[in-house]
Amino acid sequence: EHPTQTLCDLYTIRKERQTVKGLRIALWGDLKHGRTVHSLIYALARFGATILFCPGPGLEMPEHVLRRLSTEYRGELKRCRDLNQDLERGFFPINAIYMTPVSPHQLAMLPDISIRVELKAGVDALYVTRLQKERQAPTVEEKELLKGYPVVDKKLLKGKEFKKTLVMHPLPRVDELTHELDADPRSMYFKQAAYGMPVRMALIALLLGAKEVKITKEQDSFVRKIDYPVYKRDSGVNCPNAKCVSNQETEVKYIKPEFKIVSREPLTMRCVYCDHDLHPQYIASSDWHEGKLESKKYHSADSHWARKIKPENLIIFASEKEAQAQQFKPSSYARK
């Protein structure tokens, strides 16, 4: 993620529109690998924006980001189909919409099909990102990704939905945002860059105690963060993200995997370091009945026991072999 860039982005939006709540903001380009959009999306949801997802082919927002968006921020995520068809027709493509609880009822009735954005209020901000070449898998052909990568130019912005749209970009750009837009009054990306220094200076001043900020209830975020219980036991599986810091050879000696327990149905853990989700296979309770060995049993994570065991007593196993190595026996609810 890129939290300080998100502060600059939010500052730009608020300075130009005086609010974030209720705005329609489109995220455009490489939504799969872009660090800036992964930070920005949570901030936009927290402050009550409606988010339009406009990815390049094969560069959709990761599922773990969408799951967190759906579980933590009380809004509704609607998916759309046939993105490539819209790209070929030259439409403004979206493949998903996240609607806040305060969105108009009509938005919640949008059909689950690919559509052109024809909202009377238009798009308030278009956040463009470059193709993250350095983060692509080695087997992915760059030419194929660039072939269908959406471009923002004057032709696109002639659409009525972009009449008052703020065009934003974290920079640097490649070919996804044409230079002909630089003089357009809707273009905000140079302002974003200029705001970077004072915004980060303000953050440093706040962290060092040079400035104090009092936030009233009215100024607080639209959605409050959920305080999930954290799983810190040594047993259990590691983060499924191979690039997570907890899986790096240089760090495994110094940090242990930690997960937030974000759901019980199904049991879902979220890595505190990289936000990737994990769905355990087997579980047990450290509070086995009266300490009797015959009561020391493990269960399938999708059984009703996942809801009954208190977070502080939860034990996760990567396999039945691991559970049995710790002298746990299979219960009648263990997967056969």
Side-chain angles (χ1 to χ4, degrees):
E1 296 185 23
H2 201 324
T4 57
Q5 179 63 49
T6 289
L7 289 176
C8 298
D9 300 335
L10 292 176
Y11 182 76
T12 303
I13 295 170
R14 181 151 185 166
K15 193 170 181 65
E16 297 295 325
R17 292 290 184 263
Q18 289 73 56
T19 186
V20 175
K21 185 176 179 179
L23 297 184
R24 293 182 179 87
I25 299 177
L27 305 181
W28 181 283
D30 190 348
L31 307 190
K32 183 176 182 179
H33 304 100
R35 294 184 302 145
T36 57
V37 289
H38 292 176
S39 287
L40 182 59
I41 188 175
Y42 300 135
L44 293 176
R46 175 165 292 185
F47 288 101
T50 290
I51 307 168
L52 312 176
F53 299 84
C54 314
L59 299 170
E60 293 79 14
M61 189 67 73
E63 284 298 317
H64 73 273
V65 175
L66 296 179
R67 279 194 294 270
R68 181 179 174 187
L69 197 66
S70 299
T71 56
E72 289 193 16
Y73 297 97
R74 301 189 306 178
E76 181 181 0
L77 181 71
K78 295 190 76 70
R79 299 172 187 264
C80 308
R81 304 191 190 102
D82 302 327
L83 172 63
N84 290 333
Q85 290 182 20
D86 270 0
L87 283 171
E88 291 170 5
R89 295 170 187 165
F91 288 170
F92 174 50
I94 64 174
N95 79 329
I97 303 176
Y98 173 83
M99 292 161 285
T100 69
V102 294
S103 296
H105 180 67
Q106 297 93 304
L107 275 177
M109 300 302 293
L110 282 171
D112 188 25
I113 57 175
S114 182
I115 59 175
R116 182 177 181 177
V117 178
E118 294 285 3
L119 304 174
K120 290 183 179 180
V123 178
D124 295 290
L126 178 60
Y127 194 89
V128 188
T129 62
R130 67 177 175 85
L131 176 65
Q132 305 284 311
K133 300 177 184 178
E134 67 277 16
R135 295 188 175 90
Q136 304 298 327
T139 55
V140 176
E141 288 290 335
E142 183 181 323
K143 289 183 179 179
E144 288 300 314
L145 290 173
L146 289 173
K147 185 178 179 181
Y149 202 81
V151 175
V152 176
D153 53 19
K154 279 189 175 181
K155 182 179 179 181
L156 175 74
L157 295 185
K158 283 182 179 179
K160 62 181 180 180
E161 61 267 35
F162 299 114
K163 187 176 181 180
K164 297 181 179 179
T165 300
L166 304 178
V167 180
M168 304 175 67
H169 194 301
L171 299 179
R173 60 183 160 185
V174 186
D175 300 315
E176 69 286 343
L177 182 65
T178 61
H179 293 275
E180 63 184 1
L181 294 176
D182 291 355
D184 193 301
R186 293 169 292 182
S187 297
M188 294 288 117
Y189 34 91
F190 294 137
K191 284 187 177 182
Q192 280 175 268
Y195 292 148
M197 182 179 291
V199 166
R200 290 178 174 92
M201 287 173 65
L203 177 61
I204 293 171
L206 180 64
L207 292 173
L208 296 180
K211 288 286 184 180
E212 290 187 8
V213 178
K214 293 183 179 180
I215 301 176
T216 65
K217 188 174 182 180
E218 290 75 20
Q219 294 173 322
D220 205 350
S221 63
F222 181 70
V223 179
R224 293 190 178 276
K225 191 172 179 63
I226 301 172
D227 188 18
Y228 292 115
V230 178
Y231 181 82
K232 297 182 178 181
R233 294 183 184 273
D234 291 336
S235 64
V237 294
N238 294 325
C239 178
N241 176 17
K243 294 183 179 180
C244 179
V245 65
S246 65
N247 287 326
Q248 302 311 303
E249 187 177 351
T250 56
E251 306 300 332
V252 292
K253 295 180 181 179
Y254 309 103
I255 62 173
K256 295 180 180 180
E258 289 187 21
F259 298 89
K260 296 177 184 178
I261 305 172
V262 298
S263 175
R264 292 302 191 97
E265 295 183 64
L267 182 60
T268 305
M269 324 281 281
R270 182 169 295 145
C271 179
V272 300
Y273 302 111
C274 71
D275 271 353
H276 275 65
D277 284 355
L278 168 71
H279 300 281
Q281 298 297 308
Y282 299 98
I283 59 171
S285 173
S286 61
D287 186 28
W288 34 288
H289 187 61
E290 296 180 355
K292 295 180 179 178
L293 194 60
E294 60 269 23
S295 301
K296 192 176 180 181
K297 296 182 178 181
Y298 66 90
H299 323 276
S300 292
D302 56 3
S303 71
H304 70 283
W305 282 101
R307 301 187 298 274
K308 287 191 172 184
I309 299 174
K310 294 180 180 179
E312 61 269 24
N313 295 330
L314 184 65
I315 302 175
I316 301 295
F317 299 115
S319 64
E320 290 191 273
K321 185 177 181 180
E322 182 182 2
Q324 292 165 7
Q326 296 188 37
Q327 297 185 318
F328 282 85
K329 297 179 180 180
S331 73
S332 57
Y333 297 99
R335 189 180 290 107
K336 300 299 182 183

